[in-house]
Amino acid sequence: MLRTLRECSTRTQAEIALSGHLVPTSLSNHLNGGRMPEEPQVTAFYGAIENEVSAAGAKGAELPCSLAELLELRRLAQLRHCACVPHTRADEAGDTPPETPASHPPDRATAELTPRKIRRRRRGRSLSRTAVSAAAARRARPVPLAAGDRPPTPSADTDWAELETLTVYLSDGRHRDAGLLLWRAGRTLDASELVEAVGSCRTAGLDEAAESVLTSASERADRQAVLNIAAALGHAGRDKDVAFLLKAATRGAP
């Protein structure tokens, strides 16, 4: 519903965040489903859209719901999230678990998958300790390396908005959060956004993260959407990613 509400605005995401006094990266996480917003954030976001629509008058779009309905949807989503996230012994002992993004898979079979089962289904293509260590080393490197030894850095025009969040998860050892973020990216991003996400992960040296996104995308029920993603990757010159996506889609086909 947040994404539907966002479509009522003609402004950029950064402009909406500024008018609602929200952090742009947090708003991006909320719209992509990577993190569940708190009630004040939902209220601020709704107010920013409502003010814009009201100012437009008759030319403005009609809001799809009221603030009360949106808050009720958030409450129900939180209940579903608490029901589908397994609890660890640390939770039972009263320890505070690490922050976990909201996850609402479309069917019961997927909802019952734990991160470990998801990794098994992907045949070892989930994030390894090597990728985690490499990401942490890049963030902790105190002295600039010589030009020839520097890892590639994503350019400003191709940087995926969630890449920084993903890197933080990896550096902090939050494999569950990283896996859910990549799974949701593969299932929800449109073709152009997915090309950007895969390219940013590749450029940052997170090849296994890129393959996790592609594997998740290959499992979409809409096979035409998978073909559209393959076409977008081919147009961007990512032939190897096209081959990986189609192979994964063929392997998972009945």
Side-chain angles (χ1 to χ4, degrees):
M1 184 59 72
L2 288 179
R3 293 180 68 90
T4 303
L5 190 64
R6 187 259 178 276
E7 292 173 358
C8 296
S9 172
T10 58
R11 295 180 294 173
T12 65
Q13 193 164 295
E15 291 172 339
I16 296 174
L18 180 62
S19 65
H21 305 290
L22 299 167
V23 179
T25 51
S26 295
L27 179 58
S28 177
N29 283 336
H30 300 155
L31 293 177
N32 290 332
R35 182 178 303 170
M36 182 178 296
E38 299 296 332
E39 285 193 11
Q41 294 171 318
V42 173
T43 302
F45 175 70
Y46 187 91
I49 302 297
E50 183 180 37
N51 290 339
E52 179 183 351
V53 172
S54 298
K59 297 181 180 179
E62 183 178 353
L63 295 179
C65 65
S66 66
L67 176 58
E69 291 172 332
L70 188 61
L71 291 174
E72 177 63 13
L73 287 175
R74 178 200 172 277
R75 186 186 70 81
L76 295 175
Q78 189 174 35
L79 291 177
R80 289 179 56 194
H81 171 57
C82 293
C84 70
V85 174
H87 298 285
T88 63
R89 293 182 178 178
D91 298 334
E92 297 172 356
D95 296 338
T96 302
E99 181 179 0
T100 305
S103 173
H104 309 299
D107 52 57
R108 181 175 180 181
T110 307
E112 292 176 352
L113 289 177
T114 64
R116 180 174 298 177
K117 290 181 180 178
I118 292 175
R119 288 196 292 272
R120 287 176 180 173
R121 282 187 59 183
R122 293 175 182 172
R123 299 187 179 181
R125 288 194 173 89
S126 57
L127 301 175
S128 66
R129 293 184 179 179
T130 302
V132 174
S133 300
R138 282 191 293 274
R139 289 175 55 82
R141 196 172 283 135
V143 180
L145 298 176
D149 294 331
R150 294 175 186 169
T153 303
S155 58
D157 59 342
T158 60
D159 192 10
W160 179 33
E162 302 296 335
L163 181 62
E164 182 177 355
T165 301
L166 173 63
T167 307
V168 170
Y169 286 162
L170 296 178
S171 299
D172 294 344
R174 295 164 63 179
H175 308 285
R176 176 192 181 87
D177 291 349
L180 288 174
L181 187 153
L182 295 171
W183 176 87
R184 186 169 293 277
R187 288 300 184 95
T188 62
L189 296 182
D190 61 31
S192 60
E193 292 172 331
L194 195 138
V195 171
E196 184 177 82
V198 171
S200 295
C201 289
R202 296 284 193 198
T203 304
L206 299 175
D207 290 332
E208 293 186 22
E211 292 178 359
S212 292
V213 174
L214 290 171
T215 301
S216 177
S218 74
E219 297 171 352
R220 292 188 181 189
D222 186 353
R223 309 314 288 175
Q224 184 59 49
V226 177
L227 294 177
N228 292 342
I229 293 171
L233 288 168
H235 184 72
R238 297 193 166 275
D239 297 337
K240 292 184 178 179
D241 289 331
V242 173
F244 184 93
L245 174 66
L246 296 180
K247 182 178 180 180
T250 303
R251 184 177 60 246

